[in-house]
Amino acid sequence: MEHFSFWPHLTAQEKELINTHSRIVRYKKGTQVHQGPLDCIGVLLVKHGQLRVYTMSEDGREVTLYRLFPDDVGILSASCVFDAVTFDVYIDAAEDTEVLLTDSAAFRKLADDNIYVRCYGYEMASNRLSEMLWKMQQVLFLSADRRLAIFLLEESSKKNSLEIHLTHEEIARFMGTAREVVSRLVKYFSQEGWVKTSRGCISLTNYEALKELAG
Amino acid sequence: MEHFSFWPHLTAQEKELINTHSRIVRYKKGTQVHQGPLDCIGVLLVKHGQLRVYTMSEDGREVTLYRLFPDDVGILSASCVFDAVTFDVYIDAAEDTEVLLTDSAAFRKLADDNIYVRCYGYEMASNRLSEMLWKMQQVLFLSADRRLAIFLLEESSKKNSLEIHLTHEEIARFMGTAREVVSRLVKYFSQEGWVKTSRGCISLTNYEALKELAG
Protein backbone atom coordinates (compact mmCIF):
# COMPACT_ATOMS: atom_id res chain seq x y z
CA MET A 1 0.00 0.00 0.00
CA GLU A 2 2.99 2.25 0.62
CA HIS A 3 3.10 2.13 -3.16
CA PHE A 4 0.58 4.96 -3.30
CA SER A 5 2.19 8.38 -2.88
CA PHE A 6 -0.81 9.63 -0.87
CA TRP A 7 -0.27 6.95 1.80
CA PRO A 8 1.51 9.24 4.33
CA HIS A 9 -1.39 11.71 4.04
CA LEU A 10 -4.04 9.21 5.13
CA THR A 11 -5.48 9.02 8.65
CA ALA A 12 -5.35 5.67 10.46
CA GLN A 13 -9.04 5.27 9.68
CA GLU A 14 -8.50 5.92 5.98
CA LYS A 15 -5.66 3.38 5.89
CA GLU A 16 -7.98 0.89 7.51
CA LEU A 17 -10.67 1.64 4.90
CA ILE A 18 -8.35 1.06 1.97
CA ASN A 19 -6.95 -2.14 3.50
CA THR A 20 -10.34 -3.69 4.10
CA HIS A 21 -11.51 -2.80 0.57
CA SER A 22 -8.50 -4.17 -1.31
CA ARG A 23 -8.03 -7.75 -2.41
CA ILE A 24 -5.84 -9.87 -4.66
CA VAL A 25 -7.53 -10.81 -7.95
CA ARG A 26 -6.13 -13.19 -10.58
CA TYR A 27 -6.91 -13.07 -14.29
CA LYS A 28 -6.08 -15.80 -16.80
CA LYS A 29 -4.35 -14.67 -20.00
CA GLY A 30 -6.96 -13.40 -22.44
CA THR A 31 -9.61 -12.58 -19.82
CA GLN A 32 -11.42 -9.25 -20.09
CA VAL A 33 -10.57 -7.28 -16.93
CA HIS A 34 -12.52 -4.08 -17.57
CA GLN A 35 -15.28 -3.37 -20.07
CA GLY A 36 -15.14 0.35 -20.84
CA PRO A 37 -18.25 2.34 -19.99
CA LEU A 38 -20.03 -0.73 -18.58
CA ASP A 39 -17.57 -1.09 -15.77
CA CYS A 40 -15.89 0.62 -12.84
CA ILE A 41 -14.01 -2.08 -10.98
CA GLY A 42 -11.62 0.13 -9.01
CA VAL A 43 -7.93 0.97 -8.82
CA LEU A 44 -5.55 -1.79 -9.96
CA LEU A 45 -2.01 -2.31 -8.74
CA VAL A 46 -0.31 -4.94 -10.92
CA LYS A 47 1.69 -7.53 -8.93
CA HIS A 48 2.57 -10.01 -11.71
CA GLY A 49 1.79 -10.37 -15.39
CA GLN A 50 0.67 -7.77 -17.91
CA LEU A 51 -2.54 -5.90 -18.73
CA ARG A 52 -3.37 -4.40 -22.12
CA VAL A 53 -5.40 -1.18 -22.13
CA TYR A 54 -7.24 -0.39 -25.35
CA THR A 55 -10.07 1.55 -26.92
CA MET A 56 -12.66 0.13 -29.29
CA SER A 57 -14.89 1.50 -32.02
CA GLU A 58 -18.57 0.61 -32.21
CA ASP A 59 -17.82 -1.94 -34.91
CA GLY A 60 -15.13 -3.59 -32.81
CA ARG A 61 -11.89 -2.08 -34.16
CA GLU A 62 -9.31 -1.87 -31.39
CA VAL A 63 -6.36 0.40 -30.71
CA THR A 64 -3.97 -0.68 -27.94
CA LEU A 65 -3.21 2.42 -25.86
CA TYR A 66 -0.67 1.17 -23.33
CA ARG A 67 0.21 -1.76 -21.13
CA LEU A 68 0.47 -2.13 -17.38
CA PHE A 69 3.41 -4.07 -15.96
CA PRO A 70 4.23 -5.12 -12.36
CA ASP A 71 4.13 -2.12 -9.97
CA ASP A 72 2.08 -0.06 -12.45
CA VAL A 73 -1.19 1.43 -11.19
CA GLY A 74 -4.32 1.38 -13.36
CA ILE A 75 -6.51 4.33 -12.47
CA LEU A 76 -8.81 4.41 -15.52
CA SER A 77 -10.53 1.23 -14.36
CA ALA A 78 -11.93 3.52 -11.62
CA SER A 79 -12.88 6.39 -13.91
CA CYS A 80 -16.32 6.68 -12.27
CA VAL A 81 -14.52 7.85 -9.13
CA PHE A 82 -13.10 10.86 -10.97
CA ASP A 83 -15.92 12.88 -12.47
CA ALA A 84 -13.63 14.83 -14.78
CA VAL A 85 -12.39 11.63 -16.45
CA THR A 86 -14.97 10.99 -19.12
CA PHE A 87 -13.09 8.61 -21.39
CA ASP A 88 -13.45 4.88 -20.89
CA VAL A 89 -11.00 2.14 -21.73
CA TYR A 90 -11.10 -1.62 -22.10
CA ILE A 91 -8.55 -3.80 -20.30
CA ASP A 92 -7.52 -7.42 -21.03
CA ALA A 93 -5.02 -9.67 -19.32
CA ALA A 94 -2.19 -10.04 -21.86
CA GLU A 95 -0.64 -12.70 -19.60
CA ASP A 96 -1.75 -14.55 -16.47
CA THR A 97 -1.96 -11.56 -14.16
CA GLU A 98 -2.32 -10.88 -10.46
CA VAL A 99 -3.48 -7.48 -9.23
CA LEU A 100 -4.32 -5.80 -5.97
CA LEU A 101 -7.76 -4.29 -6.54
CA THR A 102 -9.11 -1.46 -4.37
CA ASP A 103 -12.82 -1.14 -5.04
CA SER A 104 -14.33 2.02 -6.50
CA ALA A 105 -16.66 2.79 -3.59
CA ALA A 106 -13.79 2.91 -1.08
CA PHE A 107 -11.59 4.88 -3.45
CA ARG A 108 -14.41 7.33 -4.12
CA LYS A 109 -14.85 7.94 -0.40
CA LEU A 110 -11.13 8.56 0.02
CA ALA A 111 -10.95 10.86 -3.02
CA ASP A 112 -13.95 12.85 -1.81
CA ASP A 113 -12.58 13.29 1.72
CA ASN A 114 -8.87 13.60 1.07
CA ILE A 115 -7.45 16.12 -1.39
CA TYR A 116 -4.18 14.14 -1.64
CA VAL A 117 -5.98 11.05 -2.89
CA ARG A 118 -8.03 13.12 -5.33
CA CYS A 119 -4.94 14.87 -6.62
CA TYR A 120 -3.10 11.55 -6.99
CA GLY A 121 -5.97 10.16 -9.04
CA TYR A 122 -6.17 13.14 -11.39
CA GLU A 123 -2.41 13.31 -11.77
CA MET A 124 -2.24 9.61 -12.70
CA ALA A 125 -5.21 10.06 -15.04
CA SER A 126 -3.64 13.08 -16.75
CA ASN A 127 -0.52 11.06 -17.34
CA ARG A 128 -2.37 8.11 -18.86
CA LEU A 129 -4.69 10.27 -20.93
CA SER A 130 -1.70 12.17 -22.33
CA GLU A 131 -0.05 8.89 -23.33
CA MET A 132 -3.28 7.74 -24.94
CA LEU A 133 -3.57 10.95 -26.92
CA TRP A 134 -0.05 10.56 -28.17
CA LYS A 135 -0.88 7.03 -29.25
CA MET A 136 -4.12 8.05 -30.95
CA GLN A 137 -2.29 10.84 -32.73
CA GLN A 138 0.28 8.37 -34.01
CA VAL A 139 -2.44 6.11 -35.33
CA LEU A 140 -4.21 9.06 -36.88
CA PHE A 141 -1.31 10.90 -38.45
CA LEU A 142 1.56 8.55 -39.12
CA SER A 143 1.76 6.52 -42.25
CA ALA A 144 1.36 2.83 -41.59
CA ASP A 145 4.86 1.84 -42.68
CA ARG A 146 6.42 4.23 -40.23
CA ARG A 147 4.15 2.99 -37.48
CA LEU A 148 5.06 -0.62 -38.18
CA ALA A 149 8.78 0.22 -38.04
CA ILE A 150 8.28 2.00 -34.71
CA PHE A 151 6.24 -0.91 -33.36
CA LEU A 152 8.84 -3.53 -34.35
CA LEU A 153 11.68 -1.51 -32.82
CA GLU A 154 9.73 -0.97 -29.59
CA GLU A 155 8.86 -4.65 -29.30
CA SER A 156 12.44 -5.59 -30.01
CA SER A 157 13.84 -3.31 -27.32
CA LYS A 158 11.12 -4.35 -24.85
CA LYS A 159 11.94 -8.05 -25.28
CA ASN A 160 15.64 -7.32 -25.76
CA SER A 161 15.61 -9.58 -28.83
CA LEU A 162 15.65 -9.16 -32.60
CA GLU A 163 12.93 -11.81 -32.92
CA ILE A 164 9.33 -10.78 -32.55
CA HIS A 165 6.86 -13.58 -31.91
CA LEU A 166 3.56 -12.06 -32.91
CA THR A 167 1.13 -12.84 -35.71
CA HIS A 168 0.14 -10.21 -38.28
CA GLU A 169 -3.30 -10.27 -36.70
CA GLU A 170 -1.86 -9.40 -33.28
CA ILE A 171 0.35 -6.65 -34.70
CA ALA A 172 -2.63 -5.21 -36.58
CA ARG A 173 -4.59 -5.09 -33.34
CA PHE A 174 -1.76 -3.31 -31.54
CA MET A 175 -1.44 -0.81 -34.39
CA GLY A 176 -5.15 -0.24 -34.81
CA THR A 177 -5.08 -1.22 -38.45
CA ALA A 178 -6.17 -4.14 -40.64
CA ARG A 179 -4.30 -7.46 -40.83
CA GLU A 180 -4.04 -7.03 -44.59
CA VAL A 181 -2.16 -3.75 -44.13
CA VAL A 182 0.34 -5.41 -41.79
CA SER A 183 0.84 -8.40 -44.10
CA ARG A 184 1.44 -6.12 -47.07
CA LEU A 185 3.94 -4.03 -45.10
CA VAL A 186 5.77 -7.02 -43.67
CA LYS A 187 6.13 -8.38 -47.20
CA TYR A 188 7.49 -5.03 -48.33
CA PHE A 189 9.90 -4.81 -45.35
CA SER A 190 11.04 -8.36 -46.13
CA GLN A 191 11.61 -7.58 -49.82
CA GLU A 192 13.71 -4.60 -48.74
CA GLY A 193 15.75 -6.96 -46.55
CA TRP A 194 14.80 -5.18 -43.34
CA VAL A 195 13.11 -8.22 -41.79
CA LYS A 196 13.01 -11.99 -42.34
CA THR A 197 9.81 -13.86 -41.66
CA SER A 198 9.14 -17.40 -40.57
CA ARG A 199 6.16 -19.10 -38.90
CA GLY A 200 4.77 -16.60 -36.36
CA CYS A 201 8.09 -14.80 -36.09
CA ILE A 202 9.57 -11.62 -37.57
CA SER A 203 13.36 -11.18 -37.25
CA LEU A 204 14.82 -7.71 -37.63
CA THR A 205 17.68 -8.06 -40.12
CA ASN A 206 18.39 -4.39 -40.78
CA TYR A 207 17.91 -2.46 -37.56
CA GLU A 208 19.40 0.74 -38.97
CA ALA A 209 17.04 0.89 -41.95
CA LEU A 210 14.04 0.42 -39.66
CA LYS A 211 15.32 3.13 -37.35
CA GLU A 212 15.68 5.51 -40.25
CA LEU A 213 12.12 4.76 -41.38
CA ALA A 214 10.82 5.20 -37.81
CA GLY A 215 12.37 8.69 -37.85
CA MET B 1 -10.16 35.52 -9.85
CA GLU B 2 -12.95 34.05 -7.74
CA HIS B 3 -13.54 32.12 -10.92
CA PHE B 4 -10.94 29.59 -9.81
CA SER B 5 -12.36 26.99 -7.41
CA PHE B 6 -9.09 26.92 -5.44
CA TRP B 7 -9.37 30.65 -4.61
CA PRO B 8 -10.74 30.17 -1.04
CA HIS B 9 -7.81 27.83 -0.30
CA LEU B 10 -5.15 30.43 -1.09
CA THR B 11 -3.27 32.42 1.53
CA ALA B 12 -3.30 36.22 1.26
CA GLN B 13 0.24 35.99 -0.08
CA GLU B 14 -0.74 33.46 -2.74
CA LYS B 15 -3.66 35.64 -3.83
CA GLU B 16 -1.24 38.52 -4.12
CA LEU B 17 1.13 36.38 -6.21
CA ILE B 18 -1.55 35.36 -8.68
CA ASN B 19 -2.87 38.93 -8.96
CA THR B 20 0.52 40.43 -9.74
CA HIS B 21 1.26 37.72 -12.33
CA SER B 22 -2.00 37.98 -14.25
CA ARG B 23 -2.71 40.39 -17.07
CA ILE B 24 -5.24 41.03 -19.80
CA VAL B 25 -4.01 39.98 -23.26
CA ARG B 26 -5.82 40.61 -26.55
CA TYR B 27 -5.52 38.46 -29.68
CA LYS B 28 -6.75 39.43 -33.13
CA LYS B 29 -8.84 36.82 -34.96
CA GLY B 30 -6.51 34.31 -36.61
CA THR B 31 -3.52 34.93 -34.34
CA GLN B 32 -1.65 31.94 -32.99
CA VAL B 33 -2.03 32.04 -29.21
CA HIS B 34 -0.07 28.94 -28.22
CA GLN B 35 2.38 26.86 -30.26
CA GLY B 36 2.29 23.34 -28.85
CA PRO B 37 5.55 22.01 -27.45
CA LEU B 38 7.38 25.28 -28.18
CA ASP B 39 5.27 27.21 -25.73
CA CYS B 40 4.05 27.43 -22.15
CA ILE B 41 2.32 30.77 -21.84
CA GLY B 42 0.28 30.08 -18.69
CA VAL B 43 -3.32 29.61 -17.64
CA LEU B 44 -5.92 31.40 -19.79
CA LEU B 45 -9.29 32.64 -18.62
CA VAL B 46 -11.34 33.71 -21.64
CA LYS B 47 -13.17 37.05 -21.15
CA HIS B 48 -14.48 37.67 -24.69
CA GLY B 49 -14.18 35.93 -28.02
CA GLN B 50 -13.31 32.34 -28.85
CA LEU B 51 -10.17 30.21 -28.91
CA ARG B 52 -9.73 27.08 -31.02
CA VAL B 53 -7.59 24.29 -29.54
CA TYR B 54 -6.15 21.81 -32.01
CA THR B 55 -3.47 19.23 -32.64
CA MET B 56 -1.26 19.04 -35.70
CA SER B 57 0.66 16.30 -37.50
CA GLU B 58 4.26 16.79 -38.60
CA ASP B 59 3.08 17.49 -42.13
CA GLY B 60 0.61 20.12 -40.93
CA ARG B 61 -2.72 18.27 -40.84
CA GLU B 62 -4.92 19.71 -38.10
CA VAL B 63 -7.67 18.28 -35.92
CA THR B 64 -9.73 20.78 -33.91
CA LEU B 65 -10.10 19.33 -30.40
CA TYR B 66 -12.34 21.84 -28.65
CA ARG B 67 -13.05 25.54 -28.31
CA LEU B 68 -12.84 27.89 -25.37
CA PHE B 69 -15.64 30.41 -24.88
CA PRO B 70 -16.04 33.27 -22.36
CA ASP B 71 -15.52 32.04 -18.76
CA ASP B 72 -13.72 28.89 -19.96
CA VAL B 73 -10.28 28.21 -18.52
CA GLY B 74 -7.46 26.94 -20.73
CA ILE B 75 -5.05 24.87 -18.67
CA LEU B 76 -3.16 23.06 -21.45
CA SER B 77 -1.42 26.29 -22.42
CA ALA B 78 0.38 25.82 -19.08
CA SER B 79 1.13 22.11 -19.54
CA CYS B 80 4.76 22.63 -18.46
CA VAL B 81 3.41 23.44 -14.99
CA PHE B 82 1.88 19.97 -14.68
CA ASP B 83 4.57 17.35 -15.21
CA ALA B 84 2.08 14.55 -15.76
CA VAL B 85 0.53 16.37 -18.73
CA THR B 86 2.73 15.35 -21.63
CA PHE B 87 0.50 16.18 -24.58
CA ASP B 88 0.78 19.58 -26.23
CA VAL B 89 -1.85 21.52 -28.10
CA TYR B 90 -1.96 24.46 -30.47
CA ILE B 91 -4.33 27.36 -29.84
CA ASP B 92 -5.56 30.03 -32.27
CA ALA B 93 -7.90 32.96 -31.78
CA ALA B 94 -11.05 31.99 -33.73
CA GLU B 95 -12.42 35.52 -33.10
CA ASP B 96 -10.97 38.72 -31.65
CA THR B 97 -10.35 37.47 -28.14
CA GLU B 98 -9.50 38.89 -24.74
CA VAL B 99 -8.06 36.67 -22.01
CA LEU B 100 -6.77 36.99 -18.49
CA LEU B 101 -3.39 35.27 -18.58
CA THR B 102 -1.68 34.03 -15.41
CA ASP B 103 1.93 33.25 -16.24
CA SER B 104 3.34 29.75 -15.94
CA ALA B 105 6.04 30.59 -13.39
CA ALA B 106 3.52 31.96 -10.89
CA PHE B 107 1.10 29.10 -11.52
CA ARG B 108 3.92 26.59 -11.09
CA LYS B 109 4.84 28.07 -7.73
CA LEU B 110 1.21 27.94 -6.58
CA ALA B 111 0.74 24.36 -7.81
CA ASP B 112 3.95 23.22 -6.11
CA ASP B 113 3.05 24.82 -2.78
CA ASN B 114 -0.71 24.35 -2.67
CA ILE B 115 -2.32 20.95 -3.17
CA TYR B 116 -5.68 22.60 -4.05
CA VAL B 117 -4.16 24.45 -6.99
CA ARG B 118 -2.35 21.32 -8.15
CA CYS B 119 -5.51 19.26 -7.89
CA TYR B 120 -7.51 21.91 -9.77
CA GLY B 121 -4.97 21.84 -12.58
CA TYR B 122 -4.96 18.07 -12.94
CA GLU B 123 -8.74 17.87 -12.69
CA MET B 124 -9.13 20.46 -15.46
CA ALA B 125 -6.47 18.72 -17.52
CA SER B 126 -8.14 15.31 -17.11
CA ASN B 127 -11.37 16.80 -18.30
CA ARG B 128 -9.85 18.38 -21.40
CA LEU B 129 -7.72 15.37 -22.24
CA SER B 130 -10.79 13.13 -21.98
CA GLU B 131 -12.67 15.40 -24.38
CA MET B 132 -9.73 15.37 -26.75
CA LEU B 133 -9.55 11.59 -26.71
CA TRP B 134 -13.23 11.38 -27.50
CA LYS B 135 -12.69 13.72 -30.44
CA MET B 136 -9.63 11.83 -31.70
CA GLN B 137 -11.57 8.59 -31.43
CA GLN B 138 -14.37 10.08 -33.49
CA VAL B 139 -11.92 11.14 -36.18
CA LEU B 140 -10.27 7.74 -36.09
CA PHE B 141 -13.29 5.47 -35.98
CA LEU B 142 -16.32 7.20 -37.40
CA SER B 143 -17.05 7.23 -41.07
CA ALA B 144 -16.71 10.68 -42.58
CA ASP B 145 -20.39 11.05 -43.53
CA ARG B 146 -21.46 10.41 -39.97
CA ARG B 147 -18.91 12.87 -38.68
CA LEU B 148 -20.07 15.55 -41.09
CA ALA B 149 -23.67 15.07 -40.00
CA ILE B 150 -22.65 15.36 -36.34
CA PHE B 151 -20.60 18.45 -37.10
CA LEU B 152 -23.42 20.21 -38.97
CA LEU B 153 -25.93 19.45 -36.20
CA GLU B 154 -23.53 20.68 -33.51
CA GLU B 155 -22.79 23.90 -35.39
CA SER B 156 -26.48 24.43 -35.97
CA SER B 157 -27.38 24.01 -32.31
CA LYS B 158 -24.40 26.12 -31.20
CA LYS B 159 -25.45 29.00 -33.46
CA ASN B 160 -29.14 28.30 -32.93
CA SER B 161 -29.61 28.52 -36.70
CA LEU B 162 -30.17 26.12 -39.61
CA GLU B 163 -27.65 28.08 -41.68
CA ILE B 164 -23.98 27.28 -41.33
CA HIS B 165 -21.59 29.89 -42.67
CA LEU B 166 -18.38 27.96 -43.15
CA THR B 167 -16.41 27.01 -46.24
CA HIS B 168 -15.67 23.38 -47.08
CA GLU B 169 -12.04 24.15 -46.29
CA GLU B 170 -12.96 25.32 -42.78
CA ILE B 171 -15.21 22.34 -42.15
CA ALA B 172 -12.45 20.00 -43.34
CA ARG B 173 -10.07 21.56 -40.86
CA PHE B 174 -12.57 21.17 -38.01
CA MET B 175 -13.14 17.55 -38.97
CA GLY B 176 -9.48 16.69 -39.51
CA THR B 177 -10.10 15.54 -43.06
CA ALA B 178 -9.46 16.76 -46.62
CA ARG B 179 -11.48 19.52 -48.31
CA GLU B 180 -12.25 17.12 -51.16
CA VAL B 181 -13.88 14.69 -48.74
CA VAL B 182 -16.11 17.45 -47.35
CA SER B 183 -17.07 18.72 -50.81
CA ARG B 184 -17.97 15.23 -51.95
CA LEU B 185 -20.06 14.62 -48.85
CA VAL B 186 -21.84 17.99 -49.02
CA LYS B 187 -22.75 17.21 -52.62
CA TYR B 188 -24.09 13.82 -51.54
CA PHE B 189 -26.04 15.34 -48.63
CA SER B 190 -27.43 17.93 -51.03
CA GLN B 191 -28.50 15.29 -53.57
CA GLU B 192 -30.28 13.47 -50.76
CA GLY B 193 -32.11 16.70 -49.94
CA TRP B 194 -30.65 16.93 -46.45
CA VAL B 195 -28.89 20.25 -47.06
CA LYS B 196 -29.05 23.10 -49.58
CA THR B 197 -25.88 24.93 -50.49
CA SER B 198 -25.22 28.46 -51.60
CA ARG B 199 -22.12 30.69 -51.56
CA GLY B 200 -20.27 29.93 -48.29
CA CYS B 201 -23.44 28.69 -46.62
CA ILE B 202 -24.95 25.28 -45.90
CA SER B 203 -28.65 25.20 -44.89
CA LEU B 204 -29.98 22.15 -43.11
CA THR B 205 -33.17 21.19 -44.93
CA ASN B 206 -33.79 17.78 -43.40
CA TYR B 207 -32.79 17.90 -39.76
CA GLU B 208 -34.30 14.49 -38.97
CA ALA B 209 -32.37 12.66 -41.68
CA LEU B 210 -29.11 14.21 -40.47
CA LYS B 211 -29.92 13.23 -36.92
CA GLU B 212 -30.54 9.67 -37.97
CA LEU B 213 -27.22 9.56 -39.82
CA ALA B 214 -25.43 11.08 -36.82
CA GLY B 215 -26.78 8.17 -34.77
PDB file of all heavy atoms in Angstrom, chain B residues 50 67 69 151 153-161:
ATOM      1  N   GLN B  50     -13.289  33.790 -28.733  1.00  0.00           N
ATOM      2  CA  GLN B  50     -13.306  32.338 -28.847  1.00  0.00           C
ATOM      3  C   GLN B  50     -11.921  31.839 -29.254  1.00  0.00           C
ATOM      4  O   GLN B  50     -11.317  32.369 -30.180  1.00  0.00           O
ATOM      5  CB  GLN B  50     -14.330  31.928 -29.911  1.00  0.00           C
ATOM      6  CG  GLN B  50     -14.543  30.445 -30.022  1.00  0.00           C
ATOM      7  CD  GLN B  50     -15.256  30.046 -31.307  1.00  0.00           C
ATOM      8  OE1 GLN B  50     -14.789  29.164 -32.014  1.00  0.00           O
ATOM      9  NE2 GLN B  50     -16.389  30.682 -31.621  1.00  0.00           N
ATOM     10  N   ARG B  67     -13.155  24.089 -28.297  1.00  0.00           N
ATOM     11  CA  ARG B  67     -13.049  25.539 -28.313  1.00  0.00           C
ATOM     12  C   ARG B  67     -13.248  26.078 -26.915  1.00  0.00           C
ATOM     13  O   ARG B  67     -13.944  25.487 -26.103  1.00  0.00           O
ATOM     14  CB  ARG B  67     -14.134  26.136 -29.216  1.00  0.00           C
ATOM     15  CG  ARG B  67     -13.929  25.861 -30.679  1.00  0.00           C
ATOM     16  CD  ARG B  67     -15.287  25.583 -31.290  1.00  0.00           C
ATOM     17  NE  ARG B  67     -15.193  25.077 -32.648  1.00  0.00           N
ATOM     18  CZ  ARG B  67     -15.321  25.818 -33.717  1.00  0.00           C
ATOM     19  NH1 ARG B  67     -15.559  27.117 -33.602  1.00  0.00           N
ATOM     20  NH2 ARG B  67     -15.226  25.288 -34.903  1.00  0.00           N
ATOM     21  N   PHE B  69     -14.726  29.275 -24.800  1.00  0.00           N
ATOM     22  CA  PHE B  69     -15.640  30.407 -24.877  1.00  0.00           C
ATOM     23  C   PHE B  69     -15.501  31.259 -23.604  1.00  0.00           C
ATOM     24  O   PHE B  69     -14.817  30.839 -22.665  1.00  0.00           O
ATOM     25  CB  PHE B  69     -17.074  29.897 -25.040  1.00  0.00           C
ATOM     26  CG  PHE B  69     -17.290  29.138 -26.321  1.00  0.00           C
ATOM     27  CD1 PHE B  69     -17.311  27.750 -26.333  1.00  0.00           C
ATOM     28  CD2 PHE B  69     -17.446  29.822 -27.530  1.00  0.00           C
ATOM     29  CE1 PHE B  69     -17.486  27.046 -27.524  1.00  0.00           C
ATOM     30  CE2 PHE B  69     -17.626  29.128 -28.724  1.00  0.00           C
ATOM     31  CZ  PHE B  69     -17.647  27.737 -28.718  1.00  0.00           C
ATOM     32  N   PHE B 151     -21.173  17.101 -37.108  1.00  0.00           N
ATOM     33  CA  PHE B 151     -20.602  18.451 -37.097  1.00  0.00           C
ATOM     34  C   PHE B 151     -21.652  19.505 -37.467  1.00  0.00           C
ATOM     35  O   PHE B 151     -21.779  20.530 -36.797  1.00  0.00           O
ATOM     36  CB  PHE B 151     -19.411  18.519 -38.069  1.00  0.00           C
ATOM     37  CG  PHE B 151     -18.812  19.895 -38.167  1.00  0.00           C
ATOM     38  CD1 PHE B 151     -17.943  20.348 -37.185  1.00  0.00           C
ATOM     39  CD2 PHE B 151     -19.152  20.747 -39.211  1.00  0.00           C
ATOM     40  CE1 PHE B 151     -17.410  21.623 -37.249  1.00  0.00           C
ATOM     41  CE2 PHE B 151     -18.619  22.022 -39.277  1.00  0.00           C
ATOM     42  CZ  PHE B 151     -17.749  22.468 -38.299  1.00  0.00           C
ATOM     43  N   LEU B 153     -24.915  19.344 -37.256  1.00  0.00           N
ATOM     44  CA  LEU B 153     -25.925  19.452 -36.204  1.00  0.00           C
ATOM     45  C   LEU B 153     -25.376  20.232 -34.998  1.00  0.00           C
ATOM     46  O   LEU B 153     -26.081  21.065 -34.423  1.00  0.00           O
ATOM     47  CB  LEU B 153     -26.387  18.058 -35.766  1.00  0.00           C
ATOM     48  CG  LEU B 153     -27.158  17.270 -36.830  1.00  0.00           C
ATOM     49  CD1 LEU B 153     -27.334  15.814 -36.396  1.00  0.00           C
ATOM     50  CD2 LEU B 153     -28.526  17.904 -37.098  1.00  0.00           C
ATOM     51  N   GLU B 154     -24.134  19.969 -34.650  1.00  0.00           N
ATOM     52  CA  GLU B 154     -23.529  20.680 -33.509  1.00  0.00           C
ATOM     53  C   GLU B 154     -23.401  22.173 -33.805  1.00  0.00           C
ATOM     54  O   GLU B 154     -23.700  23.015 -32.968  1.00  0.00           O
ATOM     55  CB  GLU B 154     -22.138  20.113 -33.195  1.00  0.00           C
ATOM     56  CG  GLU B 154     -22.180  18.859 -32.335  1.00  0.00           C
ATOM     57  CD  GLU B 154     -20.784  18.305 -32.073  1.00  0.00           C
ATOM     58  OE1 GLU B 154     -19.808  18.826 -32.651  1.00  0.00           O
ATOM     59  OE2 GLU B 154     -20.690  17.344 -31.298  1.00  0.00           O
ATOM     60  N   GLU B 155     -22.939  22.498 -35.000  1.00  0.00           N
ATOM     61  CA  GLU B 155     -22.790  23.895 -35.385  1.00  0.00           C
ATOM     62  C   GLU B 155     -24.142  24.586 -35.358  1.00  0.00           C
ATOM     63  O   GLU B 155     -24.281  25.706 -34.877  1.00  0.00           O
ATOM     64  CB  GLU B 155     -22.191  24.006 -36.798  1.00  0.00           C
ATOM     65  CG  GLU B 155     -20.693  23.854 -36.847  1.00  0.00           C
ATOM     66  CD  GLU B 155     -19.967  24.954 -36.081  1.00  0.00           C
ATOM     67  OE1 GLU B 155     -20.228  26.143 -36.330  1.00  0.00           O
ATOM     68  OE2 GLU B 155     -19.156  24.593 -35.212  1.00  0.00           O
ATOM     69  N   SER B 156     -25.127  23.881 -35.908  1.00  0.00           N
ATOM     70  CA  SER B 156     -26.479  24.430 -35.970  1.00  0.00           C
ATOM     71  C   SER B 156     -27.010  24.721 -34.570  1.00  0.00           C
ATOM     72  O   SER B 156     -27.565  25.797 -34.308  1.00  0.00           O
ATOM     73  CB  SER B 156     -27.378  23.445 -36.722  1.00  0.00           C
ATOM     74  OG  SER B 156     -28.732  23.718 -36.454  1.00  0.00           O
ATOM     75  N   SER B 157     -26.827  23.788 -33.650  1.00  0.00           N
ATOM     76  CA  SER B 157     -27.382  24.014 -32.307  1.00  0.00           C
ATOM     77  C   SER B 157     -26.566  25.066 -31.566  1.00  0.00           C
ATOM     78  O   SER B 157     -27.093  25.830 -30.764  1.00  0.00           O
ATOM     79  CB  SER B 157     -27.491  22.704 -31.532  1.00  0.00           C
ATOM     80  OG  SER B 157     -26.291  22.415 -30.878  1.00  0.00           O
ATOM     81  N   LYS B 158     -25.239  25.123 -31.854  1.00  0.00           N
ATOM     82  CA  LYS B 158     -24.397  26.122 -31.197  1.00  0.00           C
ATOM     83  C   LYS B 158     -24.819  27.533 -31.619  1.00  0.00           C
ATOM     84  O   LYS B 158     -24.890  28.438 -30.811  1.00  0.00           O
ATOM     85  CB  LYS B 158     -22.931  25.873 -31.577  1.00  0.00           C
ATOM     86  CG  LYS B 158     -21.961  26.113 -30.441  1.00  0.00           C
ATOM     87  CD  LYS B 158     -20.519  25.854 -30.890  1.00  0.00           C
ATOM     88  CE  LYS B 158     -20.214  24.372 -31.034  1.00  0.00           C
ATOM     89  NZ  LYS B 158     -18.930  24.104 -31.723  1.00  0.00           N
ATOM     90  N   LYS B 159     -25.090  27.689 -32.926  1.00  0.00           N
ATOM     91  CA  LYS B 159     -25.448  29.004 -33.462  1.00  0.00           C
ATOM     92  C   LYS B 159     -26.945  29.253 -33.376  1.00  0.00           C
ATOM     93  O   LYS B 159     -27.416  30.337 -33.718  1.00  0.00           O
ATOM     94  CB  LYS B 159     -24.999  29.109 -34.934  1.00  0.00           C
ATOM     95  CG  LYS B 159     -23.504  28.967 -35.138  1.00  0.00           C
ATOM     96  CD  LYS B 159     -22.779  30.309 -34.975  1.00  0.00           C
ATOM     97  CE  LYS B 159     -21.300  30.137 -34.634  1.00  0.00           C
ATOM     98  NZ  LYS B 159     -20.539  29.344 -35.603  1.00  0.00           N
ATOM     99  N   ASN B 160     -27.684  28.210 -32.971  1.00  0.00           N
ATOM    100  CA  ASN B 160     -29.138  28.302 -32.931  1.00  0.00           C
ATOM    101  C   ASN B 160     -29.696  28.750 -34.274  1.00  0.00           C
ATOM    102  O   ASN B 160     -30.543  29.641 -34.362  1.00  0.00           O
ATOM    103  CB  ASN B 160     -29.559  29.267 -31.810  1.00  0.00           C
ATOM    104  CG  ASN B 160     -30.935  28.921 -31.287  1.00  0.00           C
ATOM    105  OD1 ASN B 160     -31.509  27.900 -31.657  1.00  0.00           O
ATOM    106  ND2 ASN B 160     -31.473  29.784 -30.453  1.00  0.00           N
ATOM    107  N   SER B 161     -29.204  28.157 -35.348  1.00  0.00           N
ATOM    108  CA  SER B 161     -29.614  28.520 -36.702  1.00  0.00           C
ATOM    109  C   SER B 161     -29.461  27.310 -37.612  1.00  0.00           C
ATOM    110  O   SER B 161     -28.599  26.456 -37.388  1.00  0.00           O
ATOM    111  CB  SER B 161     -28.739  29.668 -37.217  1.00  0.00           C
ATOM    112  OG  SER B 161     -28.734  29.687 -38.624  1.00  0.00           O
TER     113      SER B 161
END
